[in-house]
Amino acid sequence: MRIALVFSCLLWACAPKSHEAGVRHITYWEKWTGFEGASMDRLVARFNQRERERAGREANYRPIEVEKVAVSSLEQKLLIATAGGNPPDVAGNYSFFVPAYADKGALTDLGPLLAAAHIERENYIPHYFELGVYRGKVWALPVVPASVALHWNKQLFEDAGLDSNVAPRTIEELDAFAEKLTLWQVRLDSGDTVVERGYLPNVPDDRKRLIQVGFLPNEPRWWSYAWGYYFGGKLFADAAHVSPNDAGNLRAYDWVRSYSERLGVERIKRFRSGFGSSSSPQSSFLSGKVAMELQGVWLHNFIEQSAPGFRYGAAPFPYPADRPELANTSEAEADVLVIPKDSKHAHEAMEFIAFVSSPDNLEDLCLGQDKFTPLRTVSERFWREHPNPNIALFRELGSSPNAFAIPKTGIWNEYNRELTNAVDLIQNLSEPPMRALGDVAERMQAAVDRDRKTLLRRGEP
Amino acid sequence: MTGASARRVRGLLFCAPWLLGLSVFLLYPLAAALYYSLCDYSVLLPPVFIGAGNYRELFHDPLFWKSLYNTAYYALGSVSFGVLVSLMLALLLNARVAGLALYRTLFFLPSLMPVVAGSLLWMWMYNGESGIINTALRHLGLNGPAWLTDPAWAKPAIILMAVWGAGHTMVIFLAGLQDVPSSLYEASLIDGANFWQRLIHVTLPMLSPVIYFNVVMSLIGGFQVFTQAFIMTGPSGAPERSTLFYVLQLYDVGFQDLRMGYACAMAWLLFGLILGLTWLLTKGSQKWVHYER
């Protein structure tokens, strides 16, 4: 009797969570927590409410209920769950994971579902819609886009005698501004210390201590692979050939290297090791230690949270003076929604995605996350209510013909690691760009060829 | 059923849970990994048999050799320093001094700290600008390196952290020391042996089975180093791949690049390597390990 009771309890505990009869439950995994997650929570609640109300009105209608779960390291867990045959019905991922997952057969082709839900490609900013398209199929739908721009600290500009309302337009101007914005504490023969500006090449190393830098190419480190794009470089010459060592990339990384040469490798390392995370008041930019930084649309929110009242400006990242056609170059990625392969409720999942993607809901979501919408048309209310004074700039950069994204390739993670290591070698002055990027080209071409062989083996075109 | 066979069946039934666990969680994954190592396998699509292709590619992969070198460097450093330091600590903590229990607890405590928490703590200690280590070095008039961001210092820094957490090894040494018969020490004292002679001719031979055990266990753990590097220097083994350890590279290939067949080949090679090294140590131990008969 006692044993039977114990077994009953165990069975009850192990049984799947019981759901209300007649309700179609779908699970939604989302990478965001914090205010971004809260913004999506509100939409999920609104969707569930709409479904319950419809069920109240229509006797035979079975409402959909979305259960949202915040998942860390989502990209890996999604793979394992899909392989185990128990994936979520919807997942919120980054756009740059789409090609690798599509290549591995982890995603559902959204094409037919989008057509049935009347979601049209024409309604989106082309660059952002294309992020979810790979090998001719739509695998993901953009919901919250982002782009990046040069941010500058107005107070430090004024201290350096620069006009705090004018950003550098060219790389050459950026370099000149950076020199004026670099500060050192210099020890004199008398033992007293003074603060001086510039790179001070004639002051011995043991006499000077870096206290402020105008610009550091490796702060933040997130986009160390991308500098080539701002100089006209590309990571792929065409779909089958890599080009990390093309002329634009070599020029970019020579420029990156020049900062290590001017400031000193060890000195930069020590200086950087005192920085906190990008969202904290101790970050390189918010603490006033770096005067100009490439940062994303999200920085405004960090400032509101960590340093209210901080005076800053945002402008397109500069272009080389001899390449004015590269103006408005910006990396533009997006958060996307995908339906994993073997989702048990693909149609219900698409209903939820369609709900989120309606103009009003998408604007609410993007307002809540302090970003702009991926749609072509934006309401007056959106501009009026948006807290970020530079939001129009970020949208313009995301729509620019020079907006770029991580290359669509199944080997991106590998390529990114190779580039990160090469940039490490370049910034540490361990190897010149020509050699470091040449090695990357050799290894990644082999990886592309291997990937191609794998796809052919599986009968992919 | 005869009594003997009924006993055998009962015995097997009692063993069944363990046998089941061993088969499901160890033997099957081992065999599956061996098969997948011979396949092009990305987890979601059916594996395609490619023979020894993954192994051939591994031997031409510079990152495989780099990660193997880094791991061997770490294993050699952490095993030799770890065993030496914990043996020295055990000898000190075996002395009869006041507050012995407190000292033993203090030296053992770090090994109780989870690796992730320990790694975060050491990241702060290794901070080139404001870390406690460089601050202390500055007071001594020395300019400490940037530790975790300096390719020359990142591996030694992770080894030093491993030595800090060698409390378990120390406790095993301590137990071994207390097992050495006092009659041997008394006899050596009568013969006029000094401290070093007693250490070399009595303590170390009597402790040799424990040293052998600790070396083998530390070596197995050393070749599987992962968490510290993953937390402290990131999954790509920065700076300049100086902390790209074998299991980190295996993780990158398997879980970042979804090349599970290649990762399985790496896992089997590591298994073979650890097995080979353990066998070599065991063979060699016959010459220097002294068992009391």
Side-chain angles (χ1 to χ4, degrees):
Chain A
M1 182 62 197
R2 235 179 265 167
I3 292 172
L5 191 68
V6 169
F7 268 106
S8 314
C9 289
L10 273 175
L11 280 174
W12 178 80
C14 296
K17 206 169 116 186
S18 71
H19 290 309
E20 211 179 315
V23 174
R24 293 174 287 168
H25 279 271
I26 64 170
T27 47
Y28 163 33
W29 285 9
E30 175 54 57
K31 64 195 171 308
W32 285 120
T33 54
F35 74 98
E36 289 102 340
S39 176
M40 186 53 108
D41 285 341
R42 289 194 287 276
L43 275 197
V44 169
R46 197 184 291 171
F47 177 79
N48 289 341
Q49 174 71 21
R50 182 196 81 165
E51 288 292 302
R52 278 195 294 274
E53 284 172 7
R54 186 172 166 192
R57 286 195 307 274
E58 299 171 28
N60 293 325
Y61 184 71
R62 290 176 61 215
I64 302 168
E65 183 154 306
V66 177
E67 187 187 350
K68 177 174 167 281
V69 185
V71 176
S72 61
S73 304
L74 186 139
E75 60 283 359
Q76 276 130 40
K77 288 175 188 162
L78 188 63
L79 172 81
I80 304 297
T82 308
N86 192 22
D89 299 298
V90 193
N93 215 333
Y94 296 112
S95 49
F96 47 83
F97 282 112
V98 170
Y101 276 72
D103 267 351
K104 307 298 190 252
L107 302 177
T108 301
D109 172 12
L110 298 185
L113 295 164
L114 289 175
H118 306 295
I119 294 176
E120 309 284 345
R121 174 189 298 245
E122 290 69 32
N123 295 336
Y124 285 81
I125 297 173
H127 174 85
Y128 288 111
F129 191 87
E130 286 302 316
L131 293 178
V133 181
Y134 180 60
R135 294 187 188 279
K137 289 180 179 170
V138 186
W139 304 99
L141 198 63
V143 281
V144 185
S147 60
V148 297
L150 181 78
H151 288 71
W152 74 92
N153 182 326
K154 290 193 170 181
Q155 184 60 53
L156 300 187
F157 264 51
E158 286 163 14
D159 294 347
L162 295 165
D163 184 343
S164 63
N165 292 315
V166 179
R169 283 176 306 113
T170 63
I171 294 285
E172 289 73 6
E173 281 180 12
L174 173 83
D175 291 344
F177 280 33
E179 183 167 3
K180 286 183 185 159
L181 288 158
T182 299
L183 283 183
W184 304 82
Q185 189 181 56
V186 178
R187 189 164 45 81
L188 303 173
D189 287 337
S190 61
D192 294 337
T193 55
V194 290
V195 172
E196 288 190 26
R197 287 186 183 277
Y199 291 124
L200 313 184
N202 298 323
V203 178
D205 279 355
D206 60 343
R207 286 282 183 95
K208 58 186 182 186
R209 193 172 72 85
L210 198 54
I211 50 178
Q212 178 187 306
V213 165
F215 180 77
L216 270 182
N218 53 348
E219 197 53 53
R221 289 187 72 103
W222 304 324
W223 305 292
S224 56
Y225 56 81
W227 287 118
Y229 287 93
Y230 298 93
F231 288 77
K234 297 264 183 297
L235 293 176
F236 272 84
D238 57 53
H241 298 95
V242 298
S243 55
N245 53 349
D246 68 13
N249 280 308
L250 287 176
R251 187 175 174 186
Y253 290 98
D254 271 332
W255 171 75
V256 166
R257 181 185 165 92
S258 72
Y259 276 85
S260 297
E261 286 168 339
R262 279 189 289 244
L263 292 163
V265 175
E266 282 306 307
R267 202 173 284 114
I268 293 177
K269 280 181 184 166
R270 281 171 200 284
F271 189 63
R272 289 188 69 243
S273 65
F275 301 159
S277 74
S278 280
S279 59
S280 71
Q282 293 79 33
S283 78
S284 49
F285 188 63
L286 299 186
S287 65
K289 287 192 171 162
V290 179
M292 297 181 286
E293 253 185 43
L294 182 65
Q295 268 287 2
V297 58
W298 51 84
L299 184 69
H300 174 78
N301 191 61
F302 293 164
I303 290 172
E304 295 278 287
Q305 308 274 328
S306 302
F310 183 88
R311 291 169 56 231
Y312 77 100
F317 193 80
Y319 50 86
D322 58 346
R323 300 288 306 271
E325 74 279 12
L326 294 175
N328 288 344
T329 299
S330 173
E331 179 163 1
E333 309 284 352
D335 295 341
V336 295
L337 289 179
V338 297
I339 301 181
K341 189 184 82 167
D342 298 333
S343 153
K344 291 173 189 73
H345 305 96
H347 284 93
E348 288 83 354
M350 182 43 81
E351 268 200 56
F352 172 65
I353 292 176
F355 176 83
V356 172
S357 303
S358 72
D360 284 350
N361 288 335
L362 215 45
E363 285 191 358
D364 283 348
L365 179 68
C366 296
L367 265 173
Q369 296 199 8
D370 225 348
K371 292 175 184 155
F372 50 97
T373 93
L375 298 176
R376 275 180 197 269
T377 315
V378 184
S379 74
E380 273 301 312
R381 173 194 74 112
F382 184 78
W383 296 123
R384 207 173 46 244
E385 290 182 8
H386 207 290
N388 188 339
N390 297 302
I391 196 67
L393 165 77
F394 286 101
R395 187 181 148 83
E396 194 185 315
L397 288 172
S399 318
S400 150
N402 286 333
F404 69 92
I406 284 170
K408 291 178 186 176
T409 167
I411 60 150
W412 172 246
N413 283 330
E414 211 173 334
Y415 202 166
N416 187 18
R417 288 201 305 275
E418 282 292 334
L419 283 167
T420 305
N421 180 56
V423 177
D424 229 15
L425 291 165
I426 292 166
Q427 288 185 321
N428 287 345
L429 304 181
S430 302
E431 282 187 14
M434 179 81 93
R435 193 168 133 204
L437 296 172
D439 286 349
V440 173
E442 194 184 316
R443 281 203 283 270
M444 286 304 95
Q445 191 55 53
V448 167
D449 296 342
R450 183 198 67 222
D451 194 47
R452 178 99 195 115
K453 209 155 63 177
T454 301
L455 289 170
L456 287 173
R457 208 182 275 138
R458 286 190 206 132
E460 300 266 348
Chain B
M1 202 182 281
T2 63
S5 60
R7 261 208 316 279
R8 195 172 300 126
V9 168
R10 266 205 305 276
L12 281 173
L13 272 175
F14 274 110
C15 291
W18 179 82
L19 280 174
L20 195 72
L22 180 83
S23 313
V24 172
F25 296 113
L26 199 70
L27 294 182
Y28 170 71
L30 262 175
L34 182 61
Y35 171 65
Y36 291 141
S37 76
L38 303 171
C39 298
D40 178 359
Y41 180 48
S42 67
V43 183
L44 284 160
L45 297 169
V48 180
F49 189 79
I50 55 165
N54 286 326
Y55 291 94
R56 261 199 305 274
E57 197 183 329
L58 261 176
F59 288 113
H60 294 102
D61 182 351
L63 293 190
F64 166 75
W65 293 108
K66 176 96 186 166
S67 65
L68 195 59
Y69 165 76
N70 285 340
T71 311
Y73 183 115
Y74 171 83
L76 202 69
S78 64
V79 172
S80 49
F81 282 109
V83 168
L84 202 69
V85 169
S86 47
L87 178 61
M88 274 163 39
L89 283 175
L91 287 170
L92 286 173
L93 296 176
N94 199 35
R96 288 186 180 82
V97 288
L100 196 60
L102 179 72
Y103 293 132
R104 284 179 181 173
T105 311
L106 283 180
F107 282 106
F108 183 68
L109 264 182
S111 62
L112 294 178
M113 186 178 277
V115 187
V116 175
S119 302
L120 291 172
L121 176 78
W122 277 84
M123 275 172 80
W124 278 109
M125 287 169 52
Y126 281 137
N127 188 298
E129 185 75 4
S130 51
I132 192 168
I133 296 177
N134 277 5
T135 309
L137 287 174
R138 258 196 300 276
H139 283 299
L140 297 172
L142 296 169
N143 217 358
W147 297 103
L148 296 172
T149 52
D150 187 331
W153 283 98
K155 267 195 296 285
I158 296 180
I159 291 174
L160 186 62
M161 182 193 156
V163 174
W164 171 76
H168 285 294
T169 321
M170 181 196 77
V171 167
I172 296 170
F173 275 132
L174 207 50
L177 282 172
Q178 291 180 353
D179 249 9
V180 181
S182 54
S183 56
L184 292 180
Y185 288 120
E186 285 158 10
S188 63
L189 276 173
I190 291 167
D191 287 346
N194 62 23
F195 169 80
W196 293 108
Q197 286 166 327
R198 284 203 305 278
L199 179 71
I200 290 164
H201 298 292
V202 178
T203 311
L204 288 183
M206 292 306 289
L207 211 56
S208 57
V210 180
I211 297 175
Y212 163 69
F213 172 79
N214 275 336
V215 167
V216 169
M217 296 313 284
S218 306
L219 198 72
I220 292 172
F223 268 89
Q224 295 179 59
V225 58
F226 173 78
T227 318
Q228 300 92 311
F230 187 80
I231 302 278
M232 293 163 85
T233 52
S236 55
E240 297 181 15
R241 291 197 166 123
S242 58
T243 62
L244 182 69
F245 295 121
Y246 195 94
V247 182
L248 208 59
Q249 169 68 357
L250 192 154
Y251 167 83
D252 282 345
V253 171
F255 291 94
Q256 303 269 340
D257 306 344
L258 312 181
R259 297 173 62 204
M260 212 49 91
Y262 197 73
C264 286
M266 285 190 76
W268 261 92
L269 282 183
L270 181 64
F271 177 60
L273 183 72
I274 293 178
L275 198 69
L277 283 173
T278 310
W279 179 80
L280 271 178
L281 274 173
T282 310
K283 280 300 259 187
S285 73
Q286 288 162 3
K287 292 197 178 115
W288 61 271
V289 175
H290 170 86
Y291 290 101
E292 240 186 320
R293 308 237 184 258

